[in-house]
Amino acid sequence: MDPWIGSQPSLILGLRVGPSPPVVDAMAKHPKTLVEENFLPLNKKGPEVAALESELQRMGEENRRLSEALTAVAAKYEELRGRYAEMVANNTNGGGSGGTSEDGSVSPSRKRKSEGSLETAPHVHHHQLAAEQTECTSGEPCKRIREECKAKVSRLHVHADPSDLSLVVKDGYQWRKYGQKVTKDNPCPRAYFRCSFAPACPVKKKVQRSAEDNTVVVATYEGEHNHGQPPPPHDGSSGVSSKTPAKPPSPPQQAPHHHHVPVQQQHPKEEVLAGEPVAAGAASELVRRNLAEQMAVTLTRDPSFKAALVTALSGRILELSPTTKDS
DNA sequence: CGGGTTTGACCCGCGC
DNA sequence: GCGCGGGTCAAACCCG
């Protein structure tokens, strides 16, 4: 239920770079001068420190902006969901959808498309139907939209080192790769994953480097997990694609920037956001990114930080998870 | 030995 | 009808 997670403003964990924005109450306990005054002795403040401080300031502001944007997106999502609930209330008894045939009992033989477009309908979830309705109201034949409606689709844009050839996107779930293909419009191969945490989980994931910017890996999720988030493994490797073969112990390039973009909410503006927020200058952008990556590396190497993060995350998710599986 | 990855073959929808 | 291309399968392989 990724969009749900993404849509919970209160899931913001207060992991911020730079001075803590006013949104975060827990972090607000700590004075924002932690870095400025405690970390560095006053007498060593020079032009570099001043530059860094201003940099931090800017980062803080940008973080605040992003938080606001996220809140706005979450509000939009809630609004759409509410509207869909209304629509469903008006349109009830239409679907039928024969109950809880959860596993779908896919026949072992290759019956691909006969089951593909329609029999996955029981897994079709409300959010995506809302998208369908908003786009099909014109009544025109919407073949492509129907395709997209087969399963709920969302995209995750992740920064990754171009030298890292593994198409691993850390999203907290366990994935099993079942195929790889070179597509026509992109020289980079596309990898196909299935959720391996629950055998009956219908979720699939496609991971491919962006053709335009090979530092960006685009993960496309189809469907929703019919199980909870798997607990992270003890070694802290965040339990993704549990075996990552012959992958050098590269730094966690993918951790710093995750932009989860539900497809049906994609606006051109958000596309920009998904790539990387365009800020004042490219140079400062680079500085910021490097700084963020370094911090991420430092933090993720700290076992106690990992433990604390895991505790916070799981507690938060449990605390906030809706009572119904899918509302 | 079990589970995951690799990779060539196959299936099927779609455009021409 | 045919070819192309995306998605999936499954045997072989790899690794702990």
PDB file of all heavy atoms in Angstrom, chain A residues 232-260:
ATOM      1  N   PRO A 232      12.219  -5.897   8.598  1.00  0.00           N
ATOM      2  CA  PRO A 232      13.564  -5.827   8.045  1.00  0.00           C
ATOM      3  C   PRO A 232      14.443  -6.880   8.674  1.00  0.00           C
ATOM      4  O   PRO A 232      14.266  -7.213   9.843  1.00  0.00           O
ATOM      5  CB  PRO A 232      14.027  -4.426   8.448  1.00  0.00           C
ATOM      6  CG  PRO A 232      13.190  -4.049   9.613  1.00  0.00           C
ATOM      7  CD  PRO A 232      11.872  -4.766   9.433  1.00  0.00           C
ATOM      8  N   PRO A 233      15.361  -7.398   7.892  1.00  0.00           N
ATOM      9  CA  PRO A 233      16.286  -8.394   8.417  1.00  0.00           C
ATOM     10  C   PRO A 233      17.186  -7.785   9.475  1.00  0.00           C
ATOM     11  O   PRO A 233      17.375  -6.587   9.531  1.00  0.00           O
ATOM     12  CB  PRO A 233      17.077  -8.839   7.200  1.00  0.00           C
ATOM     13  CG  PRO A 233      16.973  -7.721   6.245  1.00  0.00           C
ATOM     14  CD  PRO A 233      15.621  -7.095   6.498  1.00  0.00           C
ATOM     15  N   HIS A 234      17.771  -8.645  10.274  1.00  0.00           N
ATOM     16  CA  HIS A 234      18.549  -8.152  11.396  1.00  0.00           C
ATOM     17  C   HIS A 234      19.811  -7.449  10.970  1.00  0.00           C
ATOM     18  O   HIS A 234      20.301  -6.575  11.654  1.00  0.00           O
ATOM     19  CB  HIS A 234      18.898  -9.310  12.328  1.00  0.00           C
ATOM     20  CG  HIS A 234      17.684  -9.887  12.953  1.00  0.00           C
ATOM     21  ND1 HIS A 234      16.802  -9.133  13.690  1.00  0.00           N
ATOM     22  CD2 HIS A 234      17.164 -11.132  12.909  1.00  0.00           C
ATOM     23  CE1 HIS A 234      15.806  -9.905  14.125  1.00  0.00           C
ATOM     24  NE2 HIS A 234      16.011 -11.110  13.657  1.00  0.00           N
ATOM     25  N   ASP A 235      20.351  -7.881   9.883  1.00  0.00           N
ATOM     26  CA  ASP A 235      21.618  -7.263   9.487  1.00  0.00           C
ATOM     27  C   ASP A 235      21.421  -5.858   8.944  1.00  0.00           C
ATOM     28  O   ASP A 235      22.364  -5.179   8.619  1.00  0.00           O
ATOM     29  CB  ASP A 235      22.320  -8.119   8.427  1.00  0.00           C
ATOM     30  CG  ASP A 235      21.459  -8.239   7.187  1.00  0.00           C
ATOM     31  OD1 ASP A 235      20.365  -7.658   7.140  1.00  0.00           O
ATOM     32  OD2 ASP A 235      21.901  -8.921   6.274  1.00  0.00           O
ATOM     33  N   GLY A 236      20.183  -5.453   8.843  1.00  0.00           N
ATOM     34  CA  GLY A 236      19.931  -4.073   8.462  1.00  0.00           C
ATOM     35  C   GLY A 236      20.047  -3.814   6.992  1.00  0.00           C
ATOM     36  O   GLY A 236      20.060  -2.681   6.557  1.00  0.00           O
ATOM     37  N   SER A 237      20.084  -4.857   6.205  1.00  0.00           N
ATOM     38  CA  SER A 237      20.213  -4.619   4.773  1.00  0.00           C
ATOM     39  C   SER A 237      18.882  -4.285   4.153  1.00  0.00           C
ATOM     40  O   SER A 237      18.713  -4.339   2.952  1.00  0.00           O
ATOM     41  CB  SER A 237      20.809  -5.827   4.084  1.00  0.00           C
ATOM     42  OG  SER A 237      19.969  -6.937   4.256  1.00  0.00           O
ATOM     43  N   SER A 238      17.887  -3.981   4.987  1.00  0.00           N
ATOM     44  CA  SER A 238      16.584  -3.469   4.571  1.00  0.00           C
ATOM     45  C   SER A 238      15.824  -4.413   3.675  1.00  0.00           C
ATOM     46  O   SER A 238      14.872  -4.040   3.047  1.00  0.00           O
ATOM     47  CB  SER A 238      16.715  -2.118   3.887  1.00  0.00           C
ATOM     48  OG  SER A 238      16.980  -2.302   2.524  1.00  0.00           O
ATOM     49  N   GLY A 239      16.241  -5.656   3.638  1.00  0.00           N
ATOM     50  CA  GLY A 239      15.422  -6.710   3.086  1.00  0.00           C
ATOM     51  C   GLY A 239      14.876  -6.492   1.698  1.00  0.00           C
ATOM     52  O   GLY A 239      13.735  -6.796   1.419  1.00  0.00           O
ATOM     53  N   VAL A 240      15.653  -6.024   0.832  1.00  0.00           N
ATOM     54  CA  VAL A 240      15.186  -5.899  -0.527  1.00  0.00           C
ATOM     55  C   VAL A 240      15.955  -6.850  -1.386  1.00  0.00           C
ATOM     56  O   VAL A 240      17.172  -6.930  -1.294  1.00  0.00           O
ATOM     57  CB  VAL A 240      15.403  -4.478  -1.039  1.00  0.00           C
ATOM     58  CG1 VAL A 240      14.952  -4.387  -2.467  1.00  0.00           C
ATOM     59  CG2 VAL A 240      14.648  -3.517  -0.179  1.00  0.00           C
ATOM     60  N   SER A 241      15.205  -7.584  -2.184  1.00  0.00           N
ATOM     61  CA  SER A 241      15.844  -8.461  -3.139  1.00  0.00           C
ATOM     62  C   SER A 241      16.964  -9.208  -2.457  1.00  0.00           C
ATOM     63  O   SER A 241      18.121  -9.148  -2.857  1.00  0.00           O
ATOM     64  CB  SER A 241      16.383  -7.621  -4.282  1.00  0.00           C
ATOM     65  OG  SER A 241      17.188  -8.371  -5.096  1.00  0.00           O
ATOM     66  N   SER A 242      16.567  -9.948  -1.462  1.00  0.00           N
ATOM     67  CA  SER A 242      17.467 -10.400  -0.420  1.00  0.00           C
ATOM     68  C   SER A 242      18.845 -10.765  -0.931  1.00  0.00           C
ATOM     69  O   SER A 242      19.839 -10.501  -0.292  1.00  0.00           O
ATOM     70  CB  SER A 242      16.854 -11.593   0.269  1.00  0.00           C
ATOM     71  OG  SER A 242      16.540 -12.559  -0.699  1.00  0.00           O
ATOM     72  N   LYS A 243      18.872 -11.343  -2.072  1.00  0.00           N
ATOM     73  CA  LYS A 243      20.195 -11.655  -2.618  1.00  0.00           C
ATOM     74  C   LYS A 243      20.513 -10.696  -3.743  1.00  0.00           C
ATOM     75  O   LYS A 243      19.841 -10.663  -4.753  1.00  0.00           O
ATOM     76  CB  LYS A 243      20.218 -13.070  -3.163  1.00  0.00           C
ATOM     77  CG  LYS A 243      20.608 -14.077  -2.109  1.00  0.00           C
ATOM     78  CD  LYS A 243      20.389 -15.438  -2.630  1.00  0.00           C
ATOM     79  CE  LYS A 243      21.661 -16.221  -2.763  1.00  0.00           C
ATOM     80  NZ  LYS A 243      21.451 -17.558  -3.252  1.00  0.00           N
ATOM     81  N   THR A 244      21.520  -9.960  -3.581  1.00  0.00           N
ATOM     82  CA  THR A 244      21.940  -9.073  -4.649  1.00  0.00           C
ATOM     83  C   THR A 244      23.293  -9.547  -5.115  1.00  0.00           C
ATOM     84  O   THR A 244      24.305  -9.245  -4.526  1.00  0.00           O
ATOM     85  CB  THR A 244      22.050  -7.632  -4.161  1.00  0.00           C
ATOM     86  OG1 THR A 244      22.825  -7.646  -2.971  1.00  0.00           O
ATOM     87  CG2 THR A 244      20.691  -7.078  -3.868  1.00  0.00           C
ATOM     88  N   PRO A 245      23.289 -10.314  -6.171  1.00  0.00           N
ATOM     89  CA  PRO A 245      24.455 -11.092  -6.536  1.00  0.00           C
ATOM     90  C   PRO A 245      25.622 -10.230  -6.976  1.00  0.00           C
ATOM     91  O   PRO A 245      25.449  -9.280  -7.735  1.00  0.00           O
ATOM     92  CB  PRO A 245      23.941 -11.917  -7.715  1.00  0.00           C
ATOM     93  CG  PRO A 245      22.880 -11.078  -8.304  1.00  0.00           C
ATOM     94  CD  PRO A 245      22.250 -10.331  -7.165  1.00  0.00           C
ATOM     95  N   ALA A 246      26.767 -10.610  -6.494  1.00  0.00           N
ATOM     96  CA  ALA A 246      28.010 -10.012  -6.966  1.00  0.00           C
ATOM     97  C   ALA A 246      27.946  -8.502  -6.988  1.00  0.00           C
ATOM     98  O   ALA A 246      28.596  -7.870  -7.771  1.00  0.00           O
ATOM     99  CB  ALA A 246      28.352 -10.528  -8.371  1.00  0.00           C
ATOM    100  N   LYS A 247      27.155  -7.968  -6.110  1.00  0.00           N
ATOM    101  CA  LYS A 247      27.075  -6.519  -6.067  1.00  0.00           C
ATOM    102  C   LYS A 247      28.125  -6.015  -5.102  1.00  0.00           C
ATOM    103  O   LYS A 247      28.180  -6.429  -3.951  1.00  0.00           O
ATOM    104  CB  LYS A 247      25.700  -6.077  -5.592  1.00  0.00           C
ATOM    105  CG  LYS A 247      25.485  -4.634  -5.878  1.00  0.00           C
ATOM    106  CD  LYS A 247      24.027  -4.319  -6.000  1.00  0.00           C
ATOM    107  CE  LYS A 247      23.157  -4.998  -5.020  1.00  0.00           C
ATOM    108  NZ  LYS A 247      23.019  -4.377  -3.761  1.00  0.00           N
ATOM    109  N   PRO A 248      29.000  -5.150  -5.543  1.00  0.00           N
ATOM    110  CA  PRO A 248      29.992  -4.617  -4.646  1.00  0.00           C
ATOM    111  C   PRO A 248      29.322  -3.863  -3.517  1.00  0.00           C
ATOM    112  O   PRO A 248      28.220  -3.347  -3.701  1.00  0.00           O
ATOM    113  CB  PRO A 248      30.799  -3.672  -5.540  1.00  0.00           C
ATOM    114  CG  PRO A 248      29.902  -3.350  -6.672  1.00  0.00           C
ATOM    115  CD  PRO A 248      29.051  -4.556  -6.859  1.00  0.00           C
ATOM    116  N   PRO A 249      29.960  -3.828  -2.369  1.00  0.00           N
ATOM    117  CA  PRO A 249      29.356  -3.136  -1.240  1.00  0.00           C
ATOM    118  C   PRO A 249      29.312  -1.648  -1.481  1.00  0.00           C
ATOM    119  O   PRO A 249      29.959  -0.864  -0.813  1.00  0.00           O
ATOM    120  CB  PRO A 249      30.283  -3.488  -0.078  1.00  0.00           C
ATOM    121  CG  PRO A 249      31.579  -3.822  -0.713  1.00  0.00           C
ATOM    122  CD  PRO A 249      31.236  -4.402  -2.054  1.00  0.00           C
ATOM    123  N   SER A 250      28.514  -1.293  -2.444  1.00  0.00           N
ATOM    124  CA  SER A 250      28.442   0.106  -2.810  1.00  0.00           C
ATOM    125  C   SER A 250      27.730   0.894  -1.730  1.00  0.00           C
ATOM    126  O   SER A 250      26.916   0.359  -1.010  1.00  0.00           O
ATOM    127  CB  SER A 250      27.694   0.243  -4.117  1.00  0.00           C
ATOM    128  OG  SER A 250      26.428  -0.356  -3.995  1.00  0.00           O
ATOM    129  N   PRO A 251      28.031   2.165  -1.630  1.00  0.00           N
ATOM    130  CA  PRO A 251      27.323   3.006  -0.686  1.00  0.00           C
ATOM    131  C   PRO A 251      25.853   3.084  -1.052  1.00  0.00           C
ATOM    132  O   PRO A 251      25.499   2.886  -2.211  1.00  0.00           O
ATOM    133  CB  PRO A 251      28.003   4.369  -0.860  1.00  0.00           C
ATOM    134  CG  PRO A 251      28.645   4.315  -2.191  1.00  0.00           C
ATOM    135  CD  PRO A 251      29.017   2.883  -2.388  1.00  0.00           C
ATOM    136  N   PRO A 252      25.017   3.334  -0.082  1.00  0.00           N
ATOM    137  CA  PRO A 252      23.575   3.338  -0.347  1.00  0.00           C
ATOM    138  C   PRO A 252      23.166   4.533  -1.162  1.00  0.00           C
ATOM    139  O   PRO A 252      22.512   5.437  -0.695  1.00  0.00           O
ATOM    140  CB  PRO A 252      22.976   3.388   1.057  1.00  0.00           C
ATOM    141  CG  PRO A 252      24.028   4.015   1.894  1.00  0.00           C
ATOM    142  CD  PRO A 252      25.338   3.622   1.284  1.00  0.00           C
ATOM    143  N   GLN A 253      23.475   4.470  -2.418  1.00  0.00           N
ATOM    144  CA  GLN A 253      23.163   5.611  -3.267  1.00  0.00           C
ATOM    145  C   GLN A 253      21.686   5.841  -3.363  1.00  0.00           C
ATOM    146  O   GLN A 253      21.231   6.919  -3.627  1.00  0.00           O
ATOM    147  CB  GLN A 253      23.680   5.375  -4.691  1.00  0.00           C
ATOM    148  CG  GLN A 253      25.019   4.746  -4.779  1.00  0.00           C
ATOM    149  CD  GLN A 253      24.901   3.252  -4.873  1.00  0.00           C
ATOM    150  OE1 GLN A 253      23.950   2.633  -4.367  1.00  0.00           O
ATOM    151  NE2 GLN A 253      25.870   2.622  -5.501  1.00  0.00           N
ATOM    152  N   GLN A 254      20.926   4.778  -3.175  1.00  0.00           N
ATOM    153  CA  GLN A 254      19.519   4.917  -3.463  1.00  0.00           C
ATOM    154  C   GLN A 254      18.750   5.476  -2.300  1.00  0.00           C
ATOM    155  O   GLN A 254      17.622   5.854  -2.433  1.00  0.00           O
ATOM    156  CB  GLN A 254      18.959   3.558  -3.837  1.00  0.00           C
ATOM    157  CG  GLN A 254      19.570   3.059  -5.116  1.00  0.00           C
ATOM    158  CD  GLN A 254      19.538   1.565  -5.165  1.00  0.00           C
ATOM    159  OE1 GLN A 254      19.390   0.909  -4.154  1.00  0.00           O
ATOM    160  NE2 GLN A 254      19.696   1.004  -6.336  1.00  0.00           N
ATOM    161  N   ALA A 255      19.385   5.487  -1.162  1.00  0.00           N
ATOM    162  CA  ALA A 255      18.636   5.917  -0.001  1.00  0.00           C
ATOM    163  C   ALA A 255      18.247   7.398  -0.017  1.00  0.00           C
ATOM    164  O   ALA A 255      17.128   7.722   0.326  1.00  0.00           O
ATOM    165  CB  ALA A 255      19.441   5.609   1.250  1.00  0.00           C
ATOM    166  N   PRO A 256      19.102   8.293  -0.416  1.00  0.00           N
ATOM    167  CA  PRO A 256      18.825   9.698  -0.151  1.00  0.00           C
ATOM    168  C   PRO A 256      17.521  10.219  -0.726  1.00  0.00           C
ATOM    169  O   PRO A 256      16.812  10.921  -0.051  1.00  0.00           O
ATOM    170  CB  PRO A 256      20.008  10.414  -0.793  1.00  0.00           C
ATOM    171  CG  PRO A 256      21.072   9.412  -0.855  1.00  0.00           C
ATOM    172  CD  PRO A 256      20.387   8.097  -1.033  1.00  0.00           C
ATOM    173  N   HIS A 257      17.217   9.904  -1.940  1.00  0.00           N
ATOM    174  CA  HIS A 257      16.068  10.550  -2.548  1.00  0.00           C
ATOM    175  C   HIS A 257      15.084   9.552  -3.101  1.00  0.00           C
ATOM    176  O   HIS A 257      15.327   8.908  -4.098  1.00  0.00           O
ATOM    177  CB  HIS A 257      16.542  11.481  -3.674  1.00  0.00           C
ATOM    178  CG  HIS A 257      16.611  12.888  -3.234  1.00  0.00           C
ATOM    179  ND1 HIS A 257      17.736  13.405  -2.654  1.00  0.00           N
ATOM    180  CD2 HIS A 257      15.690  13.866  -3.262  1.00  0.00           C
ATOM    181  CE1 HIS A 257      17.526  14.680  -2.383  1.00  0.00           C
ATOM    182  NE2 HIS A 257      16.286  14.980  -2.741  1.00  0.00           N
ATOM    183  N   HIS A 258      13.973   9.441  -2.453  1.00  0.00           N
ATOM    184  CA  HIS A 258      12.886   8.641  -2.979  1.00  0.00           C
ATOM    185  C   HIS A 258      11.732   9.563  -3.291  1.00  0.00           C
ATOM    186  O   HIS A 258      11.307  10.350  -2.480  1.00  0.00           O
ATOM    187  CB  HIS A 258      12.431   7.614  -1.941  1.00  0.00           C
ATOM    188  CG  HIS A 258      13.303   6.404  -1.925  1.00  0.00           C
ATOM    189  ND1 HIS A 258      14.646   6.477  -1.691  1.00  0.00           N
ATOM    190  CD2 HIS A 258      13.012   5.110  -2.119  1.00  0.00           C
ATOM    191  CE1 HIS A 258      15.135   5.256  -1.722  1.00  0.00           C
ATOM    192  NE2 HIS A 258      14.178   4.424  -1.981  1.00  0.00           N
ATOM    193  N   HIS A 259      11.239   9.458  -4.472  1.00  0.00           N
ATOM    194  CA  HIS A 259      10.041  10.208  -4.809  1.00  0.00           C
ATOM    195  C   HIS A 259       9.009   9.228  -5.291  1.00  0.00           C
ATOM    196  O   HIS A 259       9.091   8.706  -6.384  1.00  0.00           O
ATOM    197  CB  HIS A 259      10.320  11.227  -5.903  1.00  0.00           C
ATOM    198  CG  HIS A 259      11.369  12.206  -5.502  1.00  0.00           C
ATOM    199  ND1 HIS A 259      11.137  13.157  -4.552  1.00  0.00           N
ATOM    200  CD2 HIS A 259      12.649  12.349  -5.898  1.00  0.00           C
ATOM    201  CE1 HIS A 259      12.247  13.899  -4.402  1.00  0.00           C
ATOM    202  NE2 HIS A 259      13.162  13.407  -5.200  1.00  0.00           N
ATOM    203  N   HIS A 260       8.052   8.979  -4.460  1.00  0.00           N
ATOM    204  CA  HIS A 260       7.039   8.028  -4.853  1.00  0.00           C
ATOM    205  C   HIS A 260       5.912   8.788  -5.515  1.00  0.00           C
ATOM    206  O   HIS A 260       5.278   9.633  -4.933  1.00  0.00           O
ATOM    207  CB  HIS A 260       6.528   7.288  -3.622  1.00  0.00           C
ATOM    208  CG  HIS A 260       5.974   5.965  -4.012  1.00  0.00           C
ATOM    209  ND1 HIS A 260       5.780   4.959  -3.129  1.00  0.00           N
ATOM    210  CD2 HIS A 260       5.601   5.490  -5.207  1.00  0.00           C
ATOM    211  CE1 HIS A 260       5.284   3.920  -3.733  1.00  0.00           C
ATOM    212  NE2 HIS A 260       5.170   4.214  -5.003  1.00  0.00           N
TER     213      HIS A 260
END
